[in-house]
Amino acid sequence: MKKTISDIADIRFGVYSRTEESEGIPYLQVRQFDEYGILNGLPDEFIELDHKSDQQLLKDGDVLFVGKGNRLFAWCYRETDGPYIASSIFFVLRPNQNIIYPEYLSAVLNAPQTKAVFQQIGSGTNIFSIRKSELGAFEIPLPSLEKQKKIAALAELHQKEISLTQHLLNQKRYLYTGIISKLLQ
């Protein structure tokens, strides 16, 4: 069975707001994510918490999806990550967790075949973008919640493996640079 994203999640945009440099709720931007959609940088901009921003706080299980620019990725927010507000570069998907596991939705959106479809339907002369209606109309397979959790676990293991491999490559570069520097002295 397939369902459109609009059938299984509420879709809204992140917030565009004036930011502070030190106090408030961390304001998530694309630069805090690596090329694989893994949160790796601490936010350096914040939004003052008031009634309006309080409504923009991410909720457990929200899935952020970047639909603009040259990096398409999805990230599943969990409350254990701390409070965040998503910038306007993100679509904020609030899935119905009775029928879809949030990490599964993120895994589907991060799948190479999904990104290829979005690359074809996206538009923009200078900056690539996906319209909210196109995202909402995108159909995803909807297996049982049990199977969704297994697929999400596989995607998480894959992301961890990529991170570890990247870390190992960086360490090898540092080692090589150190050795070559000593040999050339």
Side-chain angles (χ1 to χ4, degrees), residues 25-86:
I25 302 298
Y27 187 57
L28 283 177
Q29 306 220 27
V30 173
R31 69 176 173 267
Q32 282 118 18
F33 293 85
D34 69 13
E35 62 195 88
Y36 305 105
I38 297 171
L39 182 65
N40 67 358
L42 295 175
D44 54 1
E45 295 182 83
F46 302 85
I47 294 180
E48 184 179 320
L49 188 61
D50 59 22
H51 176 68
K52 183 180 175 186
S53 62
D54 183 49
Q55 295 174 5
Q56 298 295 328
L57 282 170
L58 294 178
K59 304 248 188 273
D60 193 53
D62 282 354
V63 174
L64 301 187
F65 179 68
V66 179
K68 299 175 192 162
N70 58 358
R71 293 193 308 156
L72 295 178
F73 67 84
W75 176 72
C76 182
Y77 167 78
R78 288 300 184 180
E79 286 179 345
T80 54
D81 296 320
Y84 285 112
I85 293 177

Side-chain angles (χ1 to χ4, degrees), residues 2-172:
K2 287 188 172 191
K3 293 273 187 179
T4 66
I5 290 179
S6 290
D7 289 338
I8 58 165
D10 292 326
I11 304 171
R12 66 176 172 84
F13 293 104
V15 66
Y16 178 79
S17 181
R18 199 179 54 142
T19 59
E20 308 290 328
E21 291 184 15
S22 60
E23 291 185 21
I25 302 298
Y27 187 57
L28 283 177
Q29 306 220 27
V30 173
R31 69 176 173 267
Q32 282 118 18
F33 293 85
D34 69 13
E35 62 195 88
Y36 305 105
I38 297 171
L39 182 65
N40 67 358
L42 295 175
D44 54 1
E45 295 182 83
F46 302 85
I47 294 180
E48 184 179 320
L49 188 61
D50 59 22
H51 176 68
K52 183 180 175 186
S53 62
D54 183 49
Q55 295 174 5
Q56 298 295 328
L57 282 170
L58 294 178
K59 304 248 188 273
D60 193 53
D62 282 354
V63 174
L64 301 187
F65 179 68
V66 179
K68 299 175 192 162
N70 58 358
R71 293 193 308 156
L72 295 178
F73 67 84
W75 176 72
C76 182
Y77 167 78
R78 288 300 184 180
E79 286 179 345
T80 54
D81 296 320
Y84 285 112
I85 293 177
S87 69
S88 59
I89 193 81
F90 295 103
F91 287 106
V92 179
L93 309 175
R94 185 155 296 153
N96 176 345
Q97 295 187 40
N98 293 322
I99 58 174
I100 188 158
Y101 188 60
E103 284 86 350
Y104 170 75
L105 176 58
S106 180
V108 170
L109 292 172
N110 282 324
Q113 53 272 50
T114 300
K115 289 181 180 184
V117 169
F118 282 132
Q119 289 289 346
Q120 290 177 343
I121 64 174
S123 62
T125 53
N126 292 333
I127 299 175
F128 173 82
S129 66
I130 297 168
R131 290 187 281 282
K132 183 179 176 183
S133 59
E134 293 168 336
L135 178 61
F138 185 75
E139 290 186 333
I140 64 169
L142 208 58
S144 70
L145 282 171
E146 182 180 324
K147 188 170 183 181
Q148 290 178 36
K149 288 179 181 181
K150 288 178 182 178
I151 292 168
L154 176 64
E156 182 182 0
L157 286 173
H158 177 68
Q159 288 288 18
K160 284 181 181 178
E161 184 179 29
I162 287 172
S163 266
L164 289 171
T165 302
Q166 192 65 39
H167 180 73
L168 181 61
L169 285 171
N170 289 337
Q171 293 303 314
K172 287 184 174 211

